[in-house]
Amino acid sequence: CEEGLECISPQRIEGASGICQKLEDDSESDSDDNSTQPTVVGEGEKCQMAMSPEYQVHCEEGLECVTPRGRMAADGVCQKPEDKPKLPVVVGEGQKCQMTVPPPYQVHCQEGLECISPQNIEGASGICQKLEDDSESDSDDNSTQPMVVGEGEKCQVTVSLEYQVLCEEGLGCITPPNLKGASGVCQKPEDKSVLPTVAVGKGERCQMTVAPQYQVHCVEGFVCVSPPHLIGASGICQEPEHKSTQPVVVGEGQECQITVAPQYQVHCEEGLVCVSPPHLIGASGICQEPEHKSTQPAMVGEGQECQITVAPQYQVHCEEGLVCLMPPNLRGAPGICQKSEVKTKQPAVVGEGEKCQMTMSPECQVHCEEGLECVTPRRRMDDDDDDDDDNDDHDDRDDDDDDDDDD
């Protein structure tokens, strides 16, 4: 409404339109009085708490306004907190019924009556009526044969069969494109519905995901590009990108990506490789020159750290004349480059019942005497370490017992 006017709508019709009216002094004073002191009603009377203060209807003290669940801003009934009906109310012929709300708030008709509600108002309440023989036969006929109307008349094909209104043969029910479930008008199908009615140029909005009669195509030579993550969204007419057939190529130090679909890949120039983090599968990388050292392992000198139990491109070998000595109890651990001793050429040999080791580097191996074999338990290394700790503790206890015997 214009400035100085107010939209006055019926209080008992939710969501209804109103009339722009000029508020007079008396009405303003009344509204002020109502806003400060809302109407108060008693048990069983209609209440309304979701309107603006001047239109609210409160319950008396000790009562609460109980509204149907799922119907926002609906009128309620003043009830005692513990008097909520557990069973639906049953009313007689000509009285108002309601079957589209949760069971505690439903109002049923008596036996032999039916709740008749308006066909075009979903969820509306109805009136209890007695079905006559004619109405029953009509309803049976309607259920099997929906109503058929002619050109220019209102049609409805998105409701249940008994309420559908179809168009005569040769007509189509044309509904607004942006109102799902709305009723339409019976019209003759136009030839333009076969082909898109509109073709727009570069930079204009296009729409390809609706019914053919509402599609908006691009003119020849352009394609409709819509957001990839918004299914059914409209797009913009753009020139086709020829680069989609050939991936983008970038130079050294620039970001590359080769784990996505071909049209989104970014390759490196010839002679460069895309190096991505080893622990991030599918991540983008950086274009770098291939490391030639990966073909020949790094060489270090005496006393430096070596590593020969990893992949070849990451191995670090010792210089000639040195050997990589690793801790005997840490499999795969790096070692230290040391001069090879003569005794390393011949591994240690032990007898029956003594500890042997065949899985280390040759200079650290402990072999069994001829006729014996090295039997290892099928357990994890952690268990072996725990056994070694237990054996050490046992040896310590034996030493303590020997000291006690000497004393």
Side-chain angles (χ1 to χ4, degrees):
C1 297
E2 295 178 352
E3 187 175 359
L5 301 179
E6 184 176 1
C7 185
I8 306 299
S9 58
Q11 297 183 14
R12 297 184 178 181
I13 302 179
E14 298 172 11
S17 58
I19 304 296
C20 292
Q21 297 181 6
K22 188 174 182 180
L23 293 176
E24 300 178 0
D25 295 337
D26 296 340
S27 62
E28 290 177 356
S29 61
D30 293 339
S31 63
D32 293 338
D33 295 340
N34 293 333
S35 63
T36 56
Q37 297 181 0
T39 303
V40 179
V41 297
E43 184 177 1
E45 294 186 273
K46 185 178 290 186
C47 53
Q48 173 56 263
M49 303 293 292
M51 306 291 289
S52 54
E54 61 268 23
Y55 300 114
Q56 289 184 0
V57 180
H58 289 206
C59 296
E60 293 178 350
E61 187 175 357
L63 303 177
E64 63 177 359
C65 188
V66 179
T67 56
R69 296 180 183 175
R71 296 186 62 195
M72 298 178 63
D75 292 339
V77 177
C78 291
Q79 298 179 5
K80 292 180 180 179
E82 298 180 356
D83 292 342
K84 296 180 182 178
K86 297 181 180 179
L87 297 176
V89 178
V90 179
V91 296
E93 185 176 0
Q95 292 183 291
K96 185 177 288 187
C97 52
Q98 176 57 272
M99 302 292 292
T100 60
V101 294
Y105 306 104
Q106 290 183 359
V107 180
H108 289 209
C109 296
Q110 293 178 354
E111 189 175 355
L113 303 178
E114 185 176 0
C115 186
I116 306 299
S117 57
Q119 297 182 14
N120 298 328
I121 302 179
E122 296 181 4
S125 58
I127 301 296
C128 290
Q129 297 180 11
K130 189 174 183 180
L131 290 178
E132 300 179 0
D133 296 336
D134 295 339
S135 62
E136 289 177 359
S137 61
D138 291 341
S139 63
D140 294 338
D141 295 339
N142 291 333
S143 63
T144 56
Q145 297 181 0
M147 183 184 297
V148 179
V149 296
E151 184 176 2
E153 293 186 274
K154 185 177 288 187
C155 53
Q156 175 57 273
V157 296
T158 60
V159 294
S160 54
L161 293 174
E162 62 268 22
Y163 300 114
Q164 287 185 2
V165 181
L166 304 186
C167 297
E168 294 178 349
E169 188 175 357
L171 302 177
C173 187
I174 306 300
T175 58
N178 298 325
L179 295 177
K180 294 182 178 180
S183 57
V185 176
C186 292
Q187 297 179 7
K188 290 181 179 179
E190 301 178 4
D191 295 334
K192 64 180 182 180
S193 64
V194 179
L195 297 176
T197 58
V198 181
V200 295
K202 180 179 180 181
E204 294 186 273
R205 188 179 295 274
C206 52
Q207 175 58 274
M208 303 290 291
T209 59
V210 294
Q213 62 269 28
Y214 303 112
Q215 290 182 0
V216 179
H217 285 211
C218 297
V219 296
E220 188 175 358
F222 296 91
V223 293
C224 186
V225 179
S226 57
H229 302 297
L230 295 177
I231 299 174
S234 57
I236 301 295
C237 289
Q238 299 179 8
E239 294 180 359
E241 299 181 0
H242 300 291
K243 64 180 182 180
S244 61
T245 57
Q246 297 181 358
V248 178
V249 179
V250 296
E252 185 175 4
Q254 292 183 288
E255 188 173 279
C256 53
Q257 174 57 275
I258 57 175
T259 61
V260 293
Q263 62 269 29
Y264 302 112
Q265 290 183 1
V266 180
H267 288 208
C268 296
E269 293 177 349
E270 188 174 359
L272 302 177
V273 293
C274 186
V275 180
S276 57
H279 302 297
L280 296 177
I281 299 175
S284 57
I286 300 296
C287 290
Q288 299 178 7
E289 292 184 359
E291 299 180 1
H292 299 293
K293 65 180 182 180
S294 62
T295 57
Q296 296 181 359
M299 306 293 291
V300 295
E302 185 176 4
Q304 292 182 290
E305 188 175 90
C306 53
Q307 175 59 276
I308 58 174
T309 61
V310 293
Q313 62 269 29
Y314 301 112
Q315 290 183 1
V316 180
H317 287 210
C318 296
E319 295 177 349
E320 189 175 358
L322 302 177
V323 293
C324 186
L325 295 182
M326 299 173 291
N329 296 327
L330 295 177
R331 294 180 182 175
I336 301 296
C337 290
Q338 298 180 11
K339 290 182 178 180
S340 58
E341 300 178 2
V342 178
K343 65 179 181 180
T344 60
K345 297 180 181 179
Q346 297 180 357
V349 179
V350 295
E352 185 175 4
E354 294 186 272
K355 185 178 288 186
C356 52
Q357 174 57 267
M358 302 293 291
T359 59
M360 306 297 293
S361 55
E363 61 271 15
C364 304
Q365 290 182 2
V366 180
H367 289 207
C368 296
E369 293 178 347
E370 189 175 357
L372 302 177
E373 64 178 356
C374 186
V375 180
T376 59
R378 296 182 179 177
R379 293 185 295 179
R380 295 182 299 179
M381 194 61 199
D382 294 338
D383 296 335
D384 294 336
D385 294 341
D386 294 338
D387 292 342
D388 292 338
D389 294 340
D390 294 338
N391 293 332
D392 293 340
D393 295 338
H394 183 68
D395 294 338
D396 293 340
R397 288 195 296 271
D398 291 343
D399 294 340
D400 295 339
D401 292 339
D402 295 340
D403 294 340
D404 294 338
D405 293 340
D406 293 342
D407 292 342

